[in-house]
Each structure stands twice: as structure tokens, then as C-alpha cells.
Amino acid sequence: MNLKRLIDQAVAGGLANAGFADTPAVVKQAARPEFGDYQANGVMAAAKRAGRNPREVAGEVAAGLDVDFLESPEVAGPGFINLTLSASWIAEQMQARYRGDESALDVATARIAIDYSSPNLAKEMHVGHLRPTVIGDALVRVLEFLGNDVIRVNHVGDWGAQFGSLLAFLDELPEGERGTSLKDLEAFYREASARFRSDETFATKARGFVVKLQSGDPACSALWEQFIAESIAHCEAVYDLFNITLTTEDVRAESAYNDDLPRIVTDLEQQGLITVSDGAKCVFLPGFTGKDDKPLPAIVQKSDGGYPYLATDVAALRYRAGELGVDKAYYVVGAPQTLHLKQLFALGEAAGYVDGQDFRHVPFGSILKDDGKPFKTRDGADVKLVDVLHEAVARAHDVVTTKNPELSESEREEVARVVGIGAVKYAELSKNRMTDYIFDWDAMLSFEGNTAPYLQYAYTRIRSIFRRADADAAALDATVVISEPAERALCVKLLQFQETVEQVTADNQPNVLCNYLYELAQSFMSFYETCPVLSGAEAERNSRLVICATTARTLQLGLSLLGIETVEQM
Ligand code: ARG
């Protein structure tokens, strides 16, 4: 049940009954308890247009609210209506939520491609891939949960000039050593690029390899395939460790579009969209200007005949809109590629490859070190993602050992994994994705504040109530009675779960769900302080256990939508 939508509809009904059918209902969650649970404030605009007194109009709208789940609405200020849910209705809805199956909400039915993670395969995954991977995976989980048909796309870069040096380097290794050398992709990449810079003969050979590869030379392709396989296996291992849902089947690499590139250029030529400028084939799109207001070209074929990054993306866009037949395609890609994607989408429209489908950039800012500088190793290299994950688990292990020395070593290892990985993901997802943030181990692993460990700990506290009560959280008598304000507040929060999850997808903001879970955990803590669960009479105890069980389940479900696991004890 989307509570917010229910209230919207009720207010729209009230407006219509009062003769303002064309005025949109503007409803928000109440900012303070004395404003009720929700507040309607679109009435003022309607009154102004009708040249009438807002308070009077609000009174008529309130009187026209014909629903049984609200207590009598209250007009406040000039045209606000405070809306308060009736306690018996809340209790009824809580019972339904407790009994209900929430494995999926099934309220949305779009076919959506999500382009995310999408690393360049030349080197190992590094912290730069943290955001597109973690944000993308959370969006995939949320969109799927809502019932959409989601297509994961890992648009890995496997086709650029850098592969020339890698192949040349691989070619010089004795056959038996190739596989083992590739194990440390990062070192391999560093050595190959160093050779490219310092050794002109090698560089020439490397350039030759690019041409050979792109023209389909069999020996060269075999080497390349070995490299790609090794590289994808590396990504897989990172995804596994990181509990990311991408698999090898989701990889659709840049090279997959290779045969399409000349066809795309021919098609654009036939459509009269191509202008040759300095030997390069370009599309000049209205509204794109560079320095000095000069028109900015979108280059689809370079003067040497090679195809740039954009050309591959045009082919991928046509494939997604055409063959895959998506309604929407979201590109979870860093903010620096904003212009690239703007050009891509505009070109797609101009060429008729997209026709009304929603192609959208989901950008994000960067991760910084505590000195505000880019997150790099001391010698300026990228920090490997595996190293970050291993450090997270090791640090979580220390924290857990101090917090709960009673756990066995194997339990501690499991908790460390779940908490460490959860902390890194949550630190990412709880921020507005557009802001740069500082990677801070202590903050993300803290048990206080808006962190994964705080939420995971809240979950274990509820689970321990059930262990003490020796009760099965899934098999309670579902009757709920609400008496205390903290109890009521927690229940209303719980009923706002669905509107929150739907809200995440309005602008692809996972932090909306994080904030909700944090508030939910806080509401639970206040409830737990003021409402004894196990010591009351049977009916009260039972009702409160239902509320506890629903809270635990909601925390667990919400975290799972962010790709974060829970444990029973920590
Ligand atoms: N491989 C690219 C990079 O590392 C990101 C690809 C994003 N997706 C896309 N369709 N362009 O910068």
C-alpha cells in the first residue's frame, strides 16, 4: 500500500467535492507531529485563483474529504489541512503488513536497461568503480522489487587503444607464463603502459596490434580473448565478494558493437546528418557549442578511420532502444561524462534511434581522501577495489571483536564480512549521489548515526527480543492495538515503506531509502525505550511483538534492496 498515494487521492477527492477538480493535491509528510501525519497545502493556490478566502476554502475541502481512514481533518493557518490517520486503521494496516508477502511489490511494469559498473577491462577494478557499481546495483534491486523488467548491462571497455600495448606485452611473454602474469592485472597494465611510453619499437608494435585486432586477425583475437576472459573473471570475483548481482551474462562489451559501427556511420550519412570536419565524420547537433560559441561536433569516425567511444555508444543506444525494446535506459556514469551522454541522447533522437523512450544519465560525484584530494595511493596509483573490500572486512573484524568478544571466531568472520561490506556500500548510498564525499573508515564503521552497522545492529536487537521471548517472529497472532505515541509513530513509519521505495525511483536516489531506514531504526529505539515489549499483559505483548517483527523485516528488506545483508547477532 502506497500510503502517500492514498492520501493524495483523498485530498484530490476533497478538492473535487469542493468544486476544485482541476487543482492538484499537494500533500507532504507532516514536518512535525502537531501537523498530523500528512499535510495538504495546495489549497491556497486554488483559493487565490477563485478569489476566495483560503481558510474558508480549506474548510470546504476538509469537509469534502470523504474517507474513513482519517480522523476529522484540521484546517491550520491560511489554507493548510492537517491530516491524521485513525489509530484503528493504522492497527488494521499493520496487521495486513505483518501477514503480507513482501517479496515484490509489482506496481511497475516498465522494461528498463541499467548500464552500470561498466569498467574498462585494461586494468583492475579500482575505487573509481565503487560508485557506479554500488549505486547501479541498488537501483537494479529497487526497480526489480517494484516489478519492472530490468536488464543489467555491463558495458565493459574492451576495445580501446590501450589494448594494443597489452597485446604487444602479452605477445612477448612465453606462452606458459601468460595466464599467471595476468593474475595481477594491475601490475600487468602498469608494466605494459610503461613499456609503451619508454620503448618506441614496442609502441609501434602496440599500434600495429590495435589495427590487427580491429581487423579481426585470428592470432591477435585469440590473445585478446585470453586477456578479456581473465579480466572478466577478475570483475566477477570482485562482484562476488561485494555481493553485486552482475554476472558474466550481463556483460555486453564495447567490442560487441564493432560490426555495427560502419553501418551506423553509413546510416547517419544517408540521413544527411554527417559533416566532414578536419577529415573526421561529425554530427553537429543544435544546442551544442564549445569554446567561443563554436558549434561542437559529435565525432563518430576519426580522420584515421577509427571509431571513438561515442560511436560505440550510439550503436549500444540503438541496440537498447531497438533490439532490446526498452522503455527506459539509465546510464549510471560519473558526472564528467555528462556532455558525452547529452550528445549521445541528442544524436539518438536526431537519428530516430530513440523514439520517446526515456534515456537518462544517472550521474554521481567523486570519492575523496580525508585531505579532500582524489582517492589515490601514496604514489598516485588507483586504489584497487579488492584492497578496499579486504580492508573493510578486516576493520569490521576489529570493531566486532571489541564489541562482542563472546562470538566465536567463525561467527565473527561472518559478521565482519557482512558489516564491512555493508558499511562501504551504505556510506556510498546514504549520500546524495551528486555530492563528492570523503571516504572515512571510522565514520562508516561507527555504530552511531546513519551507518550500516547502526541499522544492522538495530536489526539484531530486535532479533534478540524474539530469542528472549522464545517466540517465532513469523507465527504471531497478528492483532495490533496501538496506545502509546511512540508506538503509533513507529507504525506510521512502517506503513510508509512502499511510498519510500517508489520515491527512490523518482530521481534514482537510493539515499531516500537510507534516510527512511535510519528514521525507522530511530523510531524503533524510541518505541523500545518507552514501550516495554515482553513485560506487559498478553495482548499488549503480542501486539508489540508484531510491531517488532514487522520492523525487523522492514529493516532487513530495505537493506537487501541496497545490497546489504544482516546477521542475527553482532
Ligand atoms: N567504460 C567507461 C568508463 O570507464 C564507462 C562506460 C559507461 N557506459 C556507457 N555506455 N558509456 O569510463
Side-chain angles (χ1 to χ4, degrees):
M1 178 220 26
N2 184 322
L3 182 52
K4 166 81 165 57
R5 196 175 306 135
L6 216 60
I7 310 264
D8 280 341
Q9 283 160 0
V11 173
L15 282 160
N17 288 343
F20 297 97
D22 51 354
T23 300
V26 183
V27 175
K28 295 210 168 83
Q29 284 182 18
R32 282 196 259 148
E34 57 269 35
F35 300 159
D37 298 307
Y38 289 81
Q39 198 175 43
N41 51 15
V43 178
M44 195 135 62
K48 242 187 214 143
R49 246 175 293 136
R52 293 186 47 200
N53 176 319
R55 244 197 123 80
E56 212 176 275
V57 171
E60 287 168 28
V61 174
L65 277 172
D66 183 22
V67 286
D68 55 8
F69 57 87
L70 292 174
E71 295 187 348
S72 44
E74 187 188 80
V75 176
F80 296 110
I81 308 173
N82 298 343
L83 304 162
T84 305
L85 298 162
S86 95
S88 59
W89 186 82
I90 298 172
E92 237 171 71
Q93 292 301 312
M94 276 298 296
Q95 285 163 202
R97 269 228 49 200
Y98 172 72
R99 286 204 210 91
D101 167 27
E102 279 154 346
S103 51
L105 284 177
D106 287 331
V107 292
T109 51
R111 189 168 163 82
I112 311 176
I114 315 282
D115 180 327
Y116 75 108
S117 194
S118 305
N120 289 330
L121 293 186
K123 52 197 293 199
E124 230 168 289
M125 290 188 76
H126 54 83
V127 275
H129 298 118
L130 193 62
R131 305 198 80 172
T133 305
V134 171
I135 296 172
D137 208 48
L139 293 178
V140 159
R141 289 173 194 256
V142 166
L143 289 164
E144 249 171 13
F145 175 73
L146 289 172
N148 295 289
D149 174 15
V150 175
I151 305 166
R152 296 165 174 74
V153 191
N154 198 354
H155 186 85
V156 299
D158 63 345
W159 209 235
Q162 67 272 42
F163 287 91
S165 355
L166 293 168
L167 291 179
F169 198 72
L170 203 54
D171 184 58
E172 289 180 2
L173 291 174
E175 194 130 354
E177 273 174 36
R178 285 173 189 164
T180 42
S181 301
L182 282 175
K183 286 263 141 45
D184 189 352
L185 282 172
E186 192 60 32
F188 186 79
Y189 174 79
R190 234 178 294 130
E191 275 182 70
S193 349
R195 275 290 295 284
F196 184 86
R197 283 191 302 268
S198 64
D199 177 346
E200 197 38 52
T201 330
F202 180 84
T204 310
K205 184 173 169 184
R207 285 187 208 103
F209 262 103
V210 180
V211 180
K212 269 163 91 178
L213 173 66
Q214 303 206 330
S215 61
D217 173 83
C220 188
S221 301
L223 268 185
W224 173 79
E225 264 162 37
Q226 185 190 358
F227 180 84
I228 296 301
E230 189 72 36
S231 200
I232 288 184
H234 157 77
C235 296
E236 282 264 283
V238 174
Y239 297 147
D240 274 354
L241 188 65
F242 212 11
N243 185 23
I244 296 294
T245 60
L246 281 170
T247 68
T248 308
E249 275 94 83
D250 306 315
V251 171
R252 195 169 165 91
E254 287 185 0
S255 62
Y257 302 100
N258 200 38
D259 295 344
D260 237 14
L261 302 178
R263 289 197 282 262
I264 295 269
V265 173
T266 309
D267 184 55
L268 295 174
E269 273 169 337
Q270 280 167 357
Q271 293 201 44
L273 287 167
I274 297 283
T275 311
V276 178
S277 169
D278 288 335
K281 294 185 180 168
C282 310
V283 180
F284 285 95
L285 297 152
F288 288 86
T289 46
K291 281 186 224 124
D292 318 327
D293 282 341
K294 277 213 195 105
L296 191 73
I299 302 173
V300 290
Q301 189 171 17
K302 294 185 278 189
S303 54
D304 65 3
Y307 297 97
Y309 180 50
L310 179 69
T312 309
D313 254 328
V314 175
L317 166 138
R318 188 169 74 158
Y319 172 77
R320 291 168 190 179
E323 238 129 305
L324 290 181
V326 301
D327 305 307
K328 306 176 187 197
Y330 297 160
Y331 291 64
V332 186
V333 182
Q337 294 193 31
T338 300
L339 177 62
H340 166 76
L341 290 171
K342 269 201 180 128
Q343 281 189 314
L344 171 66
F345 300 155
L347 210 166
E349 292 275 345
Y353 300 153
V354 287
D355 181 15
Q357 295 103 326
D358 181 10
F359 274 65
R360 199 183 281 218
H361 182 196
V362 180
F364 50 82
S366 24
I367 306 182
L368 307 172
K369 265 193 319 192
D370 50 10
D371 56 5
K373 302 237 171 73
F375 197 146
K376 298 265 181 192
T377 61
R378 214 164 297 166
D379 49 11
D382 288 323
V383 179
K384 293 184 192 186
L385 205 42
V386 261
D387 290 345
V388 173
L389 300 180
H390 286 142
E391 181 162 357
V393 174
R395 283 177 181 260
H397 192 275
D398 290 347
V399 174
V400 169
T401 307
T402 330
K403 283 252 168 209
N404 192 349
E406 248 104 275
L407 294 177
S408 73
E409 179 51 28
S410 70
E411 284 169 324
R412 248 183 279 167
E413 273 170 19
E414 174 64 1
V415 174
R417 185 186 67 78
V418 169
V419 170
I421 302 291
V424 173
K425 285 188 170 181
Y426 195 87
E428 170 59 63
L429 295 168
S430 56
K431 316 282 188 309
N432 179 315
R433 60 178 160 74
M434 279 314 287
T435 48
D436 296 346
Y437 76 93
I438 289 176
F439 195 88
D440 179 345
W441 285 117
D442 293 333
M444 70 177 80
L445 283 164
S446 166
F447 277 58
E448 314 282 321
N450 191 6
T451 65
Y454 174 75
L455 298 176
Q456 289 167 320
Y457 183 63
Y459 175 81
T460 62
R461 282 197 47 189
I462 307 178
R463 298 297 302 149
S464 85
I465 299 171
F466 284 91
R467 280 194 296 277
R468 262 183 291 139
D470 197 20
D472 179 356
L476 304 164
D477 163 9
T479 316
V480 173
V481 258
I482 294 169
S483 49
E484 293 298 316
E487 190 168 43
R488 185 187 183 286
L490 174 58
C491 290
V492 172
K493 252 286 147 258
L494 285 166
L495 297 180
Q496 290 170 335
F497 177 68
Q498 179 171 337
E499 70 193 56
T500 307
V501 179
E502 289 187 41
Q503 185 60 33
V504 170
T505 65
D507 193 26
N508 299 308
Q509 299 275 21
N511 62 329
V512 169
L513 179 54
C514 296
N515 292 341
Y516 168 83
L517 293 174
Y518 181 48
E519 285 169 18
L520 175 64
Q522 286 178 314
S523 299
F524 177 79
M525 295 304 179
S526 322
F527 158 80
Y528 197 57
E529 271 158 34
T530 51
C531 304
V533 174
L534 297 181
S535 56
E538 165 124 16
E540 185 185 85
R541 169 187 154 111
N542 203 49
S543 166
R544 289 185 175 165
L545 279 175
V546 169
I547 296 171
C548 288
T550 310
T551 307
R553 217 172 61 181
T554 305
L555 281 172
Q556 186 177 44
L557 177 60
L559 285 170
S560 80
L561 293 179
L562 300 170
I564 298 173
E565 296 169 82
T566 47
V567 285
E568 292 299 299
Q569 291 187 62
M570 59 191 263

